[in-house]
Amino acid sequence: AQKITQTQPGMFVQEKEAVTLDCTYDTSDPSYGLFWYKQPSSGEMIFLIYQGSYDQQNATEGRYSLNFQKARKSANLVISASQLGDSAMYFCAMREGRSGAGSYQLTFGKGTKLSVIP
Amino acid sequence: DAGVTQSPTHLIKTRGQQVTLRCSPKSGHDTVSWYQQALGQGPQFIFQYYEEEERQRGNFPDRFSGHQFPNYSSELNVNALLLGDSALYLCASSFTGDPYEQYFGPGTRLTVT
């Protein structure tokens, strides 16, 4: 079974509008972390936002927020006020286990290609 | 402050050959992870190095090997290249005290013909 599922291969959004990118995950480990990365055409993975499984509040970083619904095992990324520079691939990823123990690897989804329309 | 650097940027090899990719971690980081990203896919974890030893390995054959040097830089070696090894190879560095934050390099694009 896939550990990270991103069901939207591609998304379009009008400039200045908000957009939600979906991510569901599967783990039996009570301790885990969820990440979102942006990958422009240049190839570099850019860290956007992180949510820990025990965090009580949804993470926010500037225009990025993570809609964390633990019971539904979803961790959707919300981008507010989209900009042309937001056009890129977006990947959801998970690390299982607590800091300093458990798995060190990140497991990625297949990504969503976001295109921002002027 | 330099981020994660990788060399070379692009590489073309022939089936059966061997290749070495290099990574220098971000200043202050002591852990290096390698990922393979095939076209249209998310990155797949290859292995992670810490204190010059392989700490964890993903589902990759022994043809993939690595090394970490005392200055924390790392190499990824792939032997007996296959066409399916064509991919973007990403290096990520982190500090072992804060493994949640991984900084990625720009990657090396490997093409096997």
Short mmCIF file of all heavy atoms in Angstrom, two decimals, chain B residues 11-59:
data_model
loop_
_atom_site.label_atom_id
_atom_site.label_comp_id
_atom_site.label_asym_id
_atom_site.label_seq_id
_atom_site.Cartn_x
_atom_site.Cartn_y
_atom_site.Cartn_z
N LEU B 11 25.11 14.34 -16.38
CA LEU B 11 26.05 13.28 -16.68
C LEU B 11 25.40 12.30 -17.65
O LEU B 11 24.23 11.93 -17.48
CB LEU B 11 26.40 12.54 -15.38
CG LEU B 11 27.70 11.79 -15.22
CD1 LEU B 11 28.89 12.65 -15.59
CD2 LEU B 11 27.83 11.31 -13.79
N ILE B 12 26.15 11.90 -18.66
CA ILE B 12 25.67 10.88 -19.59
C ILE B 12 26.63 9.71 -19.55
O ILE B 12 27.85 9.88 -19.72
CB ILE B 12 25.56 11.43 -21.03
CG1 ILE B 12 24.58 12.60 -21.08
CG2 ILE B 12 25.10 10.32 -21.99
CD1 ILE B 12 24.51 13.29 -22.43
N LYS B 13 26.08 8.51 -19.30
CA LYS B 13 26.90 7.30 -19.22
C LYS B 13 26.29 6.22 -20.10
O LYS B 13 25.12 6.28 -20.49
CB LYS B 13 26.96 6.82 -17.77
CG LYS B 13 27.80 7.70 -16.85
CD LYS B 13 29.27 7.53 -17.12
CE LYS B 13 30.12 8.22 -16.10
NZ LYS B 13 31.58 8.01 -16.35
N THR B 14 27.07 5.20 -20.36
CA THR B 14 26.63 4.06 -21.15
C THR B 14 26.32 2.88 -20.22
O THR B 14 26.94 2.74 -19.16
CB THR B 14 27.72 3.67 -22.16
OG1 THR B 14 28.06 4.80 -22.95
CG2 THR B 14 27.26 2.53 -23.06
N ARG B 15 25.37 2.07 -20.64
CA ARG B 15 25.04 0.87 -19.86
C ARG B 15 26.29 0.08 -19.50
O ARG B 15 27.18 -0.12 -20.33
CB ARG B 15 24.12 -0.04 -20.67
CG ARG B 15 22.66 0.28 -20.55
CD ARG B 15 21.81 -0.65 -21.40
NE ARG B 15 22.17 -0.59 -22.80
CZ ARG B 15 21.65 -1.39 -23.73
NH1 ARG B 15 20.77 -2.31 -23.39
NH2 ARG B 15 22.01 -1.27 -24.98
N GLY B 16 26.34 -0.40 -18.25
CA GLY B 16 27.47 -1.19 -17.80
C GLY B 16 28.58 -0.38 -17.15
O GLY B 16 29.41 -0.94 -16.43
N GLN B 17 28.57 0.94 -17.39
CA GLN B 17 29.61 1.77 -16.80
C GLN B 17 29.32 2.03 -15.33
O GLN B 17 28.28 1.66 -14.78
CB GLN B 17 29.72 3.10 -17.55
CG GLN B 17 30.39 2.99 -18.90
CD GLN B 17 30.64 4.35 -19.52
OE1 GLN B 17 29.79 5.26 -19.48
NE2 GLN B 17 31.81 4.52 -20.13
N GLN B 18 30.28 2.70 -14.69
CA GLN B 18 30.14 3.06 -13.29
C GLN B 18 30.13 4.59 -13.20
O GLN B 18 30.72 5.28 -14.04
CB GLN B 18 31.34 2.49 -12.51
CG GLN B 18 31.36 2.83 -11.04
CD GLN B 18 32.24 4.03 -10.71
OE1 GLN B 18 33.06 4.46 -11.52
NE2 GLN B 18 32.05 4.60 -9.54
N VAL B 19 29.45 5.12 -12.16
CA VAL B 19 29.37 6.57 -12.02
C VAL B 19 29.52 6.95 -10.54
O VAL B 19 29.14 6.18 -9.64
CB VAL B 19 28.02 7.10 -12.57
CG1 VAL B 19 26.86 6.63 -11.71
CG2 VAL B 19 28.03 8.62 -12.68
N THR B 20 30.10 8.11 -10.31
CA THR B 20 30.23 8.66 -8.96
C THR B 20 29.64 10.06 -8.91
O THR B 20 30.02 10.91 -9.72
CB THR B 20 31.70 8.71 -8.52
OG1 THR B 20 32.24 7.38 -8.46
CG2 THR B 20 31.82 9.35 -7.13
N LEU B 21 28.72 10.27 -8.00
CA LEU B 21 28.11 11.58 -7.80
C LEU B 21 28.56 12.12 -6.46
O LEU B 21 28.76 11.35 -5.50
CB LEU B 21 26.58 11.47 -7.83
CG LEU B 21 25.97 10.69 -9.01
CD1 LEU B 21 24.45 10.71 -8.92
CD2 LEU B 21 26.44 11.25 -10.34
N ARG B 22 28.68 13.44 -6.36
CA ARG B 22 29.23 14.05 -5.16
C ARG B 22 28.27 15.06 -4.54
O ARG B 22 27.50 15.71 -5.25
CB ARG B 22 30.58 14.70 -5.48
CG ARG B 22 31.63 13.68 -5.87
CD ARG B 22 32.94 14.32 -6.29
NE ARG B 22 33.94 13.29 -6.59
CZ ARG B 22 34.03 12.64 -7.75
NH1 ARG B 22 33.19 12.92 -8.73
NH2 ARG B 22 34.96 11.72 -7.93
N CYS B 23 28.38 15.18 -3.22
CA CYS B 23 27.49 16.08 -2.48
C CYS B 23 28.25 16.71 -1.32
O CYS B 23 28.95 16.02 -0.56
CB CYS B 23 26.30 15.28 -1.95
SG CYS B 23 25.24 16.19 -0.79
N SER B 24 28.10 18.01 -1.19
CA SER B 24 28.63 18.72 -0.02
C SER B 24 27.47 19.25 0.79
O SER B 24 26.63 19.99 0.25
CB SER B 24 29.55 19.87 -0.45
OG SER B 24 30.73 19.39 -1.03
N PRO B 25 27.38 18.90 2.06
CA PRO B 25 26.22 19.31 2.84
C PRO B 25 26.26 20.79 3.21
O PRO B 25 27.28 21.45 3.10
CB PRO B 25 26.31 18.44 4.09
CG PRO B 25 27.78 18.16 4.24
CD PRO B 25 28.32 18.09 2.85
N LYS B 26 25.13 21.26 3.66
CA LYS B 26 25.03 22.63 4.18
C LYS B 26 25.93 22.74 5.41
O LYS B 26 26.08 21.78 6.17
CB LYS B 26 23.57 22.90 4.54
CG LYS B 26 23.26 24.27 5.10
CD LYS B 26 21.77 24.38 5.38
CE LYS B 26 21.42 25.63 6.19
NZ LYS B 26 21.72 26.86 5.47
N SER B 27 26.50 23.92 5.59
CA SER B 27 27.37 24.16 6.74
C SER B 27 26.65 23.84 8.05
O SER B 27 25.51 24.25 8.26
CB SER B 27 27.81 25.63 6.74
OG SER B 27 28.61 25.90 7.86
N GLY B 28 27.32 23.07 8.91
CA GLY B 28 26.74 22.70 10.20
C GLY B 28 25.98 21.38 10.18
O GLY B 28 25.58 20.88 11.24
N HIS B 29 25.78 20.83 9.00
CA HIS B 29 25.06 19.56 8.89
C HIS B 29 26.04 18.40 8.88
O HIS B 29 27.14 18.49 8.34
CB HIS B 29 24.22 19.53 7.60
CG HIS B 29 22.99 20.37 7.69
ND1 HIS B 29 22.07 20.45 6.66
CD2 HIS B 29 22.52 21.17 8.66
CE1 HIS B 29 21.08 21.26 7.01
NE2 HIS B 29 21.34 21.71 8.22
N ASP B 30 25.62 17.27 9.49
CA ASP B 30 26.51 16.12 9.60
C ASP B 30 25.94 14.85 8.98
O ASP B 30 26.57 13.80 9.02
CB ASP B 30 26.84 15.86 11.07
CG ASP B 30 25.59 15.63 11.92
OD1 ASP B 30 24.47 15.56 11.36
OD2 ASP B 30 25.74 15.54 13.16
N THR B 31 24.76 14.94 8.41
CA THR B 31 24.07 13.76 7.88
C THR B 31 23.69 14.02 6.42
O THR B 31 23.21 15.10 6.08
CB THR B 31 22.79 13.49 8.70
OG1 THR B 31 23.16 13.31 10.07
CG2 THR B 31 22.08 12.24 8.20
N VAL B 32 23.94 13.01 5.61
CA VAL B 32 23.63 13.13 4.18
C VAL B 32 22.75 11.96 3.74
O VAL B 32 23.04 10.81 4.05
CB VAL B 32 24.92 13.15 3.33
CG1 VAL B 32 24.58 13.10 1.85
CG2 VAL B 32 25.74 14.40 3.64
N SER B 33 21.67 12.29 3.04
CA SER B 33 20.78 11.28 2.46
C SER B 33 20.79 11.42 0.96
O SER B 33 20.90 12.54 0.44
CB SER B 33 19.35 11.46 2.99
OG SER B 33 19.31 11.40 4.40
N TRP B 34 20.62 10.30 0.28
CA TRP B 34 20.55 10.29 -1.18
C TRP B 34 19.18 9.77 -1.62
O TRP B 34 18.66 8.80 -1.05
CB TRP B 34 21.64 9.41 -1.77
CG TRP B 34 23.02 10.00 -1.70
CD1 TRP B 34 23.95 9.82 -0.70
CD2 TRP B 34 23.63 10.85 -2.67
NE1 TRP B 34 25.09 10.52 -0.99
CE2 TRP B 34 24.93 11.16 -2.20
CE3 TRP B 34 23.23 11.38 -3.89
CZ2 TRP B 34 25.82 11.96 -2.90
CZ3 TRP B 34 24.12 12.19 -4.59
CH2 TRP B 34 25.39 12.47 -4.11
N TYR B 35 18.63 10.41 -2.65
CA TYR B 35 17.35 10.03 -3.21
C TYR B 35 17.47 9.92 -4.73
O TYR B 35 18.20 10.68 -5.35
CB TYR B 35 16.27 11.07 -2.88
CG TYR B 35 15.89 11.14 -1.41
CD1 TYR B 35 16.67 11.86 -0.50
CD2 TYR B 35 14.76 10.49 -0.94
CE1 TYR B 35 16.32 11.92 0.84
CE2 TYR B 35 14.39 10.55 0.40
CZ TYR B 35 15.19 11.27 1.29
OH TYR B 35 14.84 11.32 2.62
N GLN B 36 16.69 9.00 -5.29
CA GLN B 36 16.59 8.86 -6.74
C GLN B 36 15.19 9.30 -7.16
O GLN B 36 14.20 8.84 -6.60
CB GLN B 36 16.81 7.40 -7.16
CG GLN B 36 16.71 7.18 -8.66
CD GLN B 36 16.54 5.70 -9.01
OE1 GLN B 36 15.53 5.09 -8.67
NE2 GLN B 36 17.53 5.14 -9.69
N GLN B 37 15.11 10.20 -8.14
CA GLN B 37 13.82 10.66 -8.63
C GLN B 37 13.72 10.37 -10.12
O GLN B 37 14.30 11.07 -10.95
CB GLN B 37 13.63 12.15 -8.36
CG GLN B 37 12.23 12.63 -8.73
CD GLN B 37 12.00 14.10 -8.41
OE1 GLN B 37 12.94 14.86 -8.21
NE2 GLN B 37 10.74 14.50 -8.33
N ALA B 38 12.94 9.35 -10.45
CA ALA B 38 12.68 9.04 -11.86
C ALA B 38 11.70 10.06 -12.42
O ALA B 38 10.96 10.71 -11.67
CB ALA B 38 12.12 7.63 -11.98
N LEU B 39 11.68 10.19 -13.73
CA LEU B 39 10.83 11.19 -14.38
C LEU B 39 9.37 10.97 -14.03
O LEU B 39 8.86 9.85 -14.12
CB LEU B 39 11.03 11.10 -15.89
CG LEU B 39 10.61 12.31 -16.71
CD1 LEU B 39 11.41 13.55 -16.30
CD2 LEU B 39 10.80 12.03 -18.19
N GLY B 40 8.70 12.02 -13.55
CA GLY B 40 7.29 11.94 -13.23
C GLY B 40 6.96 11.26 -11.90
O GLY B 40 5.79 11.01 -11.61
N GLN B 41 7.99 10.98 -11.11
CA GLN B 41 7.78 10.32 -9.83
C GLN B 41 8.31 11.17 -8.68
O GLN B 41 9.04 12.15 -8.90
CB GLN B 41 8.52 8.96 -9.81
CG GLN B 41 8.09 8.01 -10.90
CD GLN B 41 6.67 7.53 -10.72
OE1 GLN B 41 6.24 7.23 -9.61
NE2 GLN B 41 5.92 7.48 -11.81
N GLY B 42 7.94 10.79 -7.47
CA GLY B 42 8.54 11.42 -6.30
C GLY B 42 9.88 10.79 -5.99
O GLY B 42 10.18 9.68 -6.46
N PRO B 43 10.72 11.47 -5.23
CA PRO B 43 12.02 10.90 -4.87
C PRO B 43 11.87 9.61 -4.06
O PRO B 43 10.95 9.48 -3.26
CB PRO B 43 12.65 12.01 -4.02
CG PRO B 43 11.95 13.26 -4.43
CD PRO B 43 10.55 12.84 -4.74
N GLN B 44 12.82 8.69 -4.30
CA GLN B 44 12.88 7.44 -3.55
C GLN B 44 14.17 7.41 -2.75
O GLN B 44 15.25 7.67 -3.30
CB GLN B 44 12.86 6.25 -4.52
CG GLN B 44 11.59 6.16 -5.37
CD GLN B 44 10.40 5.69 -4.59
OE1 GLN B 44 10.50 4.79 -3.76
NE2 GLN B 44 9.25 6.31 -4.83
N PHE B 45 14.06 7.06 -1.47
CA PHE B 45 15.20 7.04 -0.57
C PHE B 45 16.18 5.93 -0.93
O PHE B 45 15.77 4.76 -1.05
CB PHE B 45 14.70 6.86 0.86
CG PHE B 45 15.77 6.74 1.91
CD1 PHE B 45 16.45 7.87 2.37
CD2 PHE B 45 16.07 5.52 2.47
CE1 PHE B 45 17.41 7.76 3.35
CE2 PHE B 45 17.03 5.39 3.46
CZ PHE B 45 17.70 6.51 3.89
N ILE B 46 17.45 6.29 -1.09
CA ILE B 46 18.48 5.28 -1.39
C ILE B 46 19.17 4.85 -0.10
O ILE B 46 19.15 3.68 0.27
CB ILE B 46 19.51 5.81 -2.40
CG1 ILE B 46 18.82 6.26 -3.69
CG2 ILE B 46 20.56 4.73 -2.70
CD1 ILE B 46 19.76 6.92 -4.70
N PHE B 47 19.84 5.79 0.55
CA PHE B 47 20.46 5.53 1.84
C PHE B 47 20.83 6.84 2.52
O PHE B 47 20.75 7.92 1.93
CB PHE B 47 21.69 4.63 1.76
CG PHE B 47 22.63 4.89 0.63
CD1 PHE B 47 23.18 6.15 0.39
CD2 PHE B 47 22.99 3.85 -0.22
CE1 PHE B 47 24.05 6.37 -0.64
CE2 PHE B 47 23.89 4.05 -1.26
CZ PHE B 47 24.41 5.31 -1.47
N GLN B 48 21.22 6.71 3.80
CA GLN B 48 21.64 7.86 4.60
C GLN B 48 22.98 7.55 5.28
O GLN B 48 23.18 6.44 5.78
CB GLN B 48 20.61 8.22 5.66
CG GLN B 48 20.95 9.48 6.44
CD GLN B 48 19.92 9.81 7.49
OE1 GLN B 48 19.97 9.28 8.60
NE2 GLN B 48 18.98 10.69 7.17
N TYR B 49 23.84 8.55 5.31
CA TYR B 49 25.15 8.42 5.96
C TYR B 49 25.28 9.37 7.13
O TYR B 49 24.89 10.55 7.05
CB TYR B 49 26.27 8.68 4.95
CG TYR B 49 26.61 7.45 4.16
CD1 TYR B 49 25.87 7.11 3.03
CD2 TYR B 49 27.64 6.61 4.55
CE1 TYR B 49 26.15 5.96 2.33
CE2 TYR B 49 27.93 5.45 3.85
CZ TYR B 49 27.18 5.13 2.74
OH TYR B 49 27.45 4.00 2.04
N TYR B 50 25.82 8.83 8.20
CA TYR B 50 26.09 9.60 9.40
C TYR B 50 27.34 9.04 10.04
O TYR B 50 27.49 7.82 10.14
CB TYR B 50 24.90 9.53 10.37
CG TYR B 50 25.17 10.11 11.73
CD1 TYR B 50 25.38 11.47 11.89
CD2 TYR B 50 25.21 9.31 12.86
CE1 TYR B 50 25.63 12.02 13.13
CE2 TYR B 50 25.45 9.84 14.11
CZ TYR B 50 25.67 11.19 14.25
OH TYR B 50 25.92 11.73 15.48
N GLU B 51 28.23 9.89 10.48
CA GLU B 51 29.51 9.47 11.08
C GLU B 51 30.23 8.46 10.19
O GLU B 51 30.75 7.44 10.65
CB GLU B 51 29.29 8.90 12.48
CG GLU B 51 28.86 9.96 13.48
CD GLU B 51 28.83 9.46 14.92
OE1 GLU B 51 28.75 8.24 15.13
OE2 GLU B 51 28.90 10.33 15.81
N GLU B 52 30.21 8.75 8.90
CA GLU B 52 30.93 7.99 7.89
C GLU B 52 30.42 6.56 7.71
O GLU B 52 31.10 5.72 7.11
CB GLU B 52 32.44 7.98 8.18
CG GLU B 52 33.03 9.39 8.27
CD GLU B 52 34.51 9.38 8.58
OE1 GLU B 52 35.26 8.61 7.95
OE2 GLU B 52 34.93 10.17 9.45
N GLU B 53 29.22 6.29 8.23
CA GLU B 53 28.66 4.96 8.06
C GLU B 53 27.24 5.05 7.49
O GLU B 53 26.52 6.03 7.74
CB GLU B 53 28.62 4.21 9.40
CG GLU B 53 30.01 3.83 9.90
CD GLU B 53 29.94 2.86 11.06
OE1 GLU B 53 28.84 2.52 11.50
OE2 GLU B 53 31.02 2.44 11.53
N GLU B 54 26.85 4.02 6.79
CA GLU B 54 25.49 3.93 6.27
C GLU B 54 24.55 3.62 7.42
O GLU B 54 24.64 2.56 8.04
CB GLU B 54 25.41 2.84 5.19
CG GLU B 54 24.05 2.75 4.52
CD GLU B 54 24.00 1.61 3.50
OE1 GLU B 54 24.67 1.70 2.46
OE2 GLU B 54 23.28 0.62 3.78
N ARG B 55 23.64 4.52 7.68
CA ARG B 55 22.76 4.37 8.85
C ARG B 55 21.44 3.68 8.48
O ARG B 55 20.87 2.96 9.28
CB ARG B 55 22.49 5.73 9.47
CG ARG B 55 21.56 5.69 10.67
CD ARG B 55 21.76 6.84 11.61
NE ARG B 55 21.37 8.11 11.04
CZ ARG B 55 21.36 9.25 11.73
NH1 ARG B 55 21.71 9.25 13.01
NH2 ARG B 55 21.02 10.39 11.15
N GLN B 56 20.96 3.96 7.30
CA GLN B 56 19.73 3.32 6.84
C GLN B 56 19.76 3.21 5.33
O GLN B 56 20.35 4.06 4.65
CB GLN B 56 18.51 4.12 7.29
CG GLN B 56 17.18 3.41 7.03
CD GLN B 56 16.00 4.16 7.62
OE1 GLN B 56 16.01 5.38 7.72
NE2 GLN B 56 14.99 3.43 8.02
N ARG B 57 19.11 2.18 4.81
CA ARG B 57 19.12 1.95 3.38
C ARG B 57 17.71 1.67 2.90
O ARG B 57 16.94 0.97 3.56
CB ARG B 57 20.02 0.75 3.05
CG ARG B 57 20.25 0.53 1.57
CD ARG B 57 21.16 -0.66 1.33
NE ARG B 57 21.47 -0.80 -0.09
CZ ARG B 57 22.50 -0.24 -0.70
NH1 ARG B 57 23.36 0.48 0.01
NH2 ARG B 57 22.71 -0.41 -1.99
N GLY B 58 17.38 2.22 1.75
CA GLY B 58 16.10 1.94 1.12
C GLY B 58 16.18 0.68 0.28
O GLY B 58 17.15 -0.07 0.34
N ASN B 59 15.19 0.46 -0.54
CA ASN B 59 15.09 -0.76 -1.34
C ASN B 59 15.86 -0.61 -2.66
O ASN B 59 15.25 -0.56 -3.73
CB ASN B 59 13.62 -1.09 -1.59
CG ASN B 59 13.44 -2.45 -2.22
OD1 ASN B 59 14.29 -3.32 -2.08
ND2 ASN B 59 12.34 -2.62 -2.93
#
